[in-house]
């Protein structure tokens, strides 16, 4: 069998494994539990060890001071009370201040306190014994209960040591400072007077040598004192700067906000590129506007002709209405009736174009309602943007809404007349059996009726807006104004359903058919008596009259419209070159300058967001210090100036005289070294004696807390435990029916179950690492590598455990557990391996756990690739070696494993 066929069989068995799992709810539950439970082991331990040393304030330590104090140079010294006082401020440990030594001892013995500290009665006296010559070291009695906890004694030892160190350092500092002060000030031995003389002598000689320099400095001091008014004025101006800090903050917030909106601004500014692409269309539009401007007089003529034609049609309708009573009087004279009716019909026929045009004008005027409404809303919004309206504003709003309501009423009247006309026309169509025309007219009438209802509601709504404005309730008026959109949407929906061309064509069709019918003699006799010409002509007259009204309204507006078209033509075509150049310039700015602006804006916003608060704090703090210290500086300069101007000449002459006398004196004694020692700064030197060495700590790969530092160990441990647990609960043997056993080899079965185990290990690794990061918020320097390294470790561990269990059964599980036990102590997870025994140091390099923990630590604190690469190679080699070894040996050892398992079963203990 070739390799590809074997791999295919292995893959089929792997898929069979998972089909069996997903078909069994209990199996699904167990698989989920086996994937998740190992992570809980890691999470609980990591959380428990998160930051134990930050909670040492709850660790109880008993303290009692029996110190009776002592007297030194007529001063009461109570070191014990000072220690207790300082411990009250110390929150590092849970100090418990008791009332007797017995309470300290019994509390530690019972476990109530982890440790106890007792300062004896002679503590202060013994500490000061060095002054008497009979030195007696003071003692601190420290009691410790070591059976309560392994770590607590180490922490309490630190507390006791810190008390001892604090007392020792304070003693050294005080003693050395006192001794040095005595040496410097009053002289403690016989050489003190000589030192003082030499010190003064040297000071005088040095001063004399630097008199010219001192004179220079004195003049500078005087100059500075003379500039104090100028300095104070500049400080006052600097103080004025503080008043502008809120404006700077506001500007900064605007910069930050502008920077945040920069993507949207870029998106909007990108329109300039679209405009650049549409320059030919803009130029074409300019040509079209120019054409309209040049032809506008013809448009006016056409409209005037239309109005005249409509009036002529209306005149014809009036003529037909005039002869209609004569037609009705001839009702019994059929021939005259027919001739007269036919004559009226012929006149009416000449008016059909005007009637159709009037219907079209009326319908098109209705379509302007939404534009009028939107214009009103825009105007009202501008007026209502104010926080408060004046009476003039209210009057203007009332007039706007009143005009709008009057316009709606005019539109409703036009709709009524048009509906009446269409109703009469529908009756004619019904009488003539013209079903198509009747349906069109019926649908149009329904739309007009719906439009009437919406216009009524809109007019009432506009009235409510006006009522709210007049009552001063601007918020309510704004809310009502927002609702106007609902009405315009309804109007648009209705108007979009009205087919103006279809209606006008239907009107012409019905009237033409009616006139054709009347023009026949028989039709005249049959139809004339059935048609209500009076109603039809009245509704027709209303429609045409209404259309004339609209046309005349537009005719009055034509001069203004013509001027606007002309202005637009002049504006667009007269500046077309500037417009095109402006668009091209804007596009160039967008492509070249805007990125620079964006970058500089980001830098400015970053400064205002991150650096400006510190600069502001430094500025205000510096000004506060300058303001606080300025009076003292001014006073000191005044005193110095007074000294320089009045006393310095005398002092200068005296120094010169003394220096001359010293230079003529005995120069044989060199007390330089003594003088050097006596000029030491007592405070600084005592600080040096207390702490002569400073420790500078440089943390490599810092980790935020103890829990994060322990995460690699417990993550690796949980992955090994997960592998052992999974191998203990599940079986490595692949179950097949008898008919299928011959189809698949032992190696294929081994490989398929191995893939199942490895898939589970990947799930365990993902859950524990992602849980560490997102549930526990563990500090991980390289989170992506943390997940990848954990997956690699999980695959290697699972491969090792699976191979051991598959090859050796229960013995293999025991080997895996032994490796686990050795790994806990010998893997160097929590303690350096160097502090463990020699045995564990010897096995440490050979444990997979060692390299797994080291690899996970790399991603936790920061990767040092030479180390990480070595650990990665080891994990990969373990994975490959155990995989190859298991695949090769399984068919060989499996029969022997069955015998071994059978023997183990006979014990009635092992499964």
């Amino acid at each position: 069998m070739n390799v590809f066929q074997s791999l295919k069989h292995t893959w089929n068995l792997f898929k069979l494994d998972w089909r069996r799992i997903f078909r069994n709810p209990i199996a699904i539950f167990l698989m989920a539990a086996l994937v998740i439970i190992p992570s809980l082991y890691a999470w609980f331990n990591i959380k428990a060890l998160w930051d134990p040393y930050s909670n040492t304030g709850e660790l109880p330590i008993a303290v009692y001071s029996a110190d009776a104090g002592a007297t030194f140079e007529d001063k009461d010294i109570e070191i014990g009370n000072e220690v207790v006082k300082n411990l009250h401020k110390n929150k590092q440990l849970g100090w418990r201040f008791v009332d007797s030594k017995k309470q300290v001892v019994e509390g530690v013995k019972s476990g109530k306190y982890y440790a106890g500290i007792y300062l004896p009665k002679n503590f202060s006296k013994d500490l000061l014994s060095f002054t008497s010559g009979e030195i007696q070291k003071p003692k601190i009695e420290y009691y410790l209960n070591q059976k309560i906890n392994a770590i607590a004694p180490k922490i309490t030892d630190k507390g006791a040591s810190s008390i001892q160190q604090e007392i020792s350092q304070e003693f050294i500092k005080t003693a050395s400072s006192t001794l040095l002060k005595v040496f410097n000030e009053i002289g403690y031995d016989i050489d003190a007077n000589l030192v003082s003389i030499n010190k003064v002598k040297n000071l005088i000689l040095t001063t004399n040598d630097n008199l010219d320099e001192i004179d220079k400095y004195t003049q500078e001091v005087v100059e500075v004192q003379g500039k104090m008014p100028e300095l104070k004025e500049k400080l006052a101006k600097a103080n004025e700067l503080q008043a502008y800090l809120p404006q700077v903050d506001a500007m900064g917030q605007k910069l930050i906000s502008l920077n945040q909106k920069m993507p949207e601004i870029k998106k909007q500014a990108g329109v300039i590129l679209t405009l650049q692409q549409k320059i030919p269309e803009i130029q074409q539009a300019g040509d079209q506007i120019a054409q309209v401007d040049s032809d506008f007089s013809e448009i006016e003529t056409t409209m005037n002709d239309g109005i005249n034609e409509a009036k002529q049609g209306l005149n014809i309708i009036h003529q037909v209405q005039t002869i209609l009573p004569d037609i009705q009087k001839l009702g019994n004279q059929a021939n005259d009736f027919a001739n007269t009716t036919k004559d009226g019909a012929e006149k009416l026929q000449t008016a059909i174009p005007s009637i159709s045009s009037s219907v079209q004008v009326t319908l098109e005027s209705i379509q302007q309602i939404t534009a009028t409404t939107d214009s009103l809303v825009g105007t009202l919004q501008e007026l209502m943007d104010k926080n408060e309206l004046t009476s003039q504003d209210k009057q203007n709003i009332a007039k706007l809404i009143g005009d709008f309501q009057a316009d709606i009423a005019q539109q409703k009247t036009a709709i009524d007349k048009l509906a009446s006309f269409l109703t009469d026309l529908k009756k004619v169509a019904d009488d003539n059996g013209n079903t198509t025309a009747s349906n069109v007219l019926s649908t149009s009438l329904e739309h007009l009726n719906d439009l009437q209802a919406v216009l009524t509601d809109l007019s009432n709504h506009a009235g409510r807006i006006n009522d709210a404005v007049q009552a001063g309730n601007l918020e309510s008026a704004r809310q009502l104004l927002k609702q106007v959109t609902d009405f315009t949407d309804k109007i648009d929906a209705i108007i979009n359903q009205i087919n103006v061309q279809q209606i006008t064509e239907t009107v012409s069709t019905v009237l033409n058919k009616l006139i054709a019918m009347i023009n026949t003699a028989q039709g005249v006799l049959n139809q004339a008596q059935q048609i209500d010409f009076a109603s039809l002509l009245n509704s027709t007259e209303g429609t045409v009259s209404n259309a004339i009204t609209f046309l005349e309204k537009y005719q009055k507006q034509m001069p203004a419209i013509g001027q606007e078209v002309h202005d637009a033509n002049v504006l667009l075509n007269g500046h077309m070159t500037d417009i095109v150049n402006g668009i091209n310039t804007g596009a160039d700015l967008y492509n070249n300058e805007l990125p620079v602006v964006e970058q500089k804006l980001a830098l400015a916003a970053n400064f205002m967001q991150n650096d400006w608060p510190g600069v502001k704090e430094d500025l205000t703090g510096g000004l506060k210090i300058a303001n606080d210290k300025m009076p003292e500086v001014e006073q000191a300069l005044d005193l110095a100036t007074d000294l320089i101007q009045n006393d310095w000449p005398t002092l200068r002459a005296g120094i010169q005289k003394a220096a001359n006398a010293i230079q003529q004196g005995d120069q044989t004694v060199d007390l330089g070294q003594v003088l050097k020692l006596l000029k030491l700064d007592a405070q600084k030197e005592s600080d040096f004696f207390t702490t002569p060495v400073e420790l500078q700590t440089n943390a490599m790969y810092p980790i935020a807390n103890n829990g994060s530092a322990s995460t690699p160990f417990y993550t690796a441990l949980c992955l090994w435990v997960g592998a052992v647990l999974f191998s203990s609960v599940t079986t490595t043997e692949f179950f097949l029916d008898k008919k299928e056993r011959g189809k698949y080899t032992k190696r294929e079965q081994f490989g398929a179950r191995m893939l199942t185990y490895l898939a589970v290990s990947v799930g365990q690794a993902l859950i524990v690492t992602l849980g560490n990061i997102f549930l526990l918020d563990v500090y991980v320097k390289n989170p992506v590598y943390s997940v990848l390294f954990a997956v690699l470790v999980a695959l290697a561990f699972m491969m090792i455990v699976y191979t051991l269990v598959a090859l050796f059964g229960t013995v293999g599980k025991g080997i895996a557990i032994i490796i686990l036990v050795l790994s806990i102590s010998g893997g160097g997870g929590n303690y350096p391996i160097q502090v463990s025994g020699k045995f564990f140091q010897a096995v440490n390099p050979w444990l997979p756990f060692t390299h797994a923990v080291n690899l996970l630590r790399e991603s936790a604190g920061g990767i040092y690739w030479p180390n990480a690469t070595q650990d990665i190679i080891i994990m990969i080699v373990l994975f490959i070696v155990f995989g190859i070894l298991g695949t090769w040996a399984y068919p060989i050892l499996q029969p022997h494993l069955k015998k071994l398992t059978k023997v183990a079963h006979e014990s009635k203990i092992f499964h």
Side-chain angles (χ1 to χ4, degrees), residues 522-592:
Q522 186 63 37
V524 172
L525 294 175
N526 294 335
Q527 297 294 328
Q529 296 177 351
Q530 299 176 11
I531 298 172
D532 187 357
F533 273 106
S535 175
L536 178 60
L537 291 172
N538 287 335
S539 59
T540 302
E541 179 192 15
T543 301
V544 176
S545 298
N546 188 65
I548 292 173
T549 301
F550 284 123
L551 288 172
E552 289 178 340
K553 175 182 177 182
Y554 296 145
Q555 186 183 36
K556 294 177 181 178
Q557 298 173 358
M558 285 303 287
I561 294 172
Q563 184 61 42
E564 290 178 1
V565 171
H566 179 72
D567 293 342
N569 178 35
V570 172
L571 179 64
L572 182 59
N573 291 299
H575 300 84
M576 181 62 71
T577 302
D578 295 336
I579 293 172
V580 171
N581 292 337
I583 292 174
N584 289 329
T585 302
D588 182 66
L589 289 174
Y590 180 85
N591 290 322
N592 301 317

Side-chain angles (χ1 to χ4, degrees), residues 618-648:
D618 293 342
L619 178 62
T620 54
L623 285 174
K624 183 177 185 304
I625 293 173
N627 289 319
D628 293 342
K629 297 299 181 181
M630 181 58 75
E632 299 176 15
V633 172
E634 186 176 16
Q635 183 180 6
L637 284 173
D638 290 341
L639 292 174
T641 302
D642 181 70
L643 175 67
I644 291 168
Q645 292 176 343
N646 299 318
D647 301 330
W648 172 244

Side-chain angles (χ1 to χ4, degrees), residues 522-803:
Q522 186 63 37
V524 172
L525 294 175
N526 294 335
Q527 297 294 328
Q529 296 177 351
Q530 299 176 11
I531 298 172
D532 187 357
F533 273 106
S535 175
L536 178 60
L537 291 172
N538 287 335
S539 59
T540 302
E541 179 192 15
T543 301
V544 176
S545 298
N546 188 65
I548 292 173
T549 301
F550 284 123
L551 288 172
E552 289 178 340
K553 175 182 177 182
Y554 296 145
Q555 186 183 36
K556 294 177 181 178
Q557 298 173 358
M558 285 303 287
I561 294 172
Q563 184 61 42
E564 290 178 1
V565 171
H566 179 72
D567 293 342
N569 178 35
V570 172
L571 179 64
L572 182 59
N573 291 299
H575 300 84
M576 181 62 71
T577 302
D578 295 336
I579 293 172
V580 171
N581 292 337
I583 292 174
N584 289 329
T585 302
D588 182 66
L589 289 174
Y590 180 85
N591 290 322
N592 301 317
E593 302 298 331
L594 186 59
V596 178
V597 173
E598 182 182 17
Q599 181 182 7
K600 292 183 178 179
L601 180 61
L603 291 174
N606 181 65
F607 171 78
M608 294 305 300
Q609 198 166 12
N610 300 318
D611 300 331
W612 169 244
V615 173
K616 177 183 175 182
E617 183 178 356
D618 293 342
L619 178 62
T620 54
L623 285 174
K624 183 177 185 304
I625 293 173
N627 289 319
D628 293 342
K629 297 299 181 181
M630 181 58 75
E632 299 176 15
V633 172
E634 186 176 16
Q635 183 180 6
L637 284 173
D638 290 341
L639 292 174
T641 302
D642 181 70
L643 175 67
I644 291 168
Q645 292 176 343
N646 299 318
D647 301 330
W648 172 244
T650 303
L651 289 174
R652 192 177 192 283
I655 290 171
Q656 288 177 324
K657 185 177 180 180
N660 291 331
I662 291 172
Q663 289 171 352
Q664 295 172 4
D666 187 10
Q667 301 292 326
T668 60
V669 179
D670 184 7
L671 299 178
Q673 294 299 320
V674 178
L675 180 62
K676 181 179 180 180
L677 291 174
L678 294 178
K679 288 175 68 178
L680 294 176
D681 187 325
Q683 184 63 38
K684 290 183 178 179
E685 298 306 314
S686 66
D687 289 340
F688 175 79
F689 290 144
T690 303
T691 310
V693 178
E694 290 186 358
L695 177 65
Q696 179 176 343
T697 302
N698 298 308
M700 306 294 289
Y701 309 115
I703 296 180
N705 50 63
N706 189 68
S708 298
S710 302
T711 298
F713 172 73
Y714 286 106
T715 300
L717 192 60
C718 98
L719 293 176
W720 187 273
V721 170
V724 174
L725 179 63
F726 189 77
S727 66
S728 299
V729 175
T730 61
T731 177
T732 58
E733 185 175 356
F734 204 104
F735 176 78
L736 291 172
D737 296 335
K738 290 183 179 180
K739 62 180 181 179
E740 293 180 340
R741 290 176 186 172
K743 184 179 177 180
Y744 301 103
T745 66
K746 292 294 183 181
R747 284 195 175 91
E748 290 170 351
Q749 296 175 35
F750 176 85
R753 185 53 54 89
M754 177 181 70
L755 291 177
T756 300
Y757 270 59
L758 294 179
V760 170
S761 71
V762 172
Q764 292 174 340
L766 291 176
I767 287 175
V768 69
T769 51
L770 295 177
N772 291 342
I773 296 171
F774 296 107
L775 295 182
L776 301 185
D777 196 21
V778 167
Y779 172 82
V780 180
K781 180 69 173 179
N782 304 102
V784 175
Y785 281 110
S786 176
V787 175
L788 295 177
F789 291 167
V791 170
L792 176 59
V793 169
L795 290 172
F797 281 4
M798 186 63 81
M799 180 64 79
I800 295 171
V801 173
Y802 172 72
T803 302

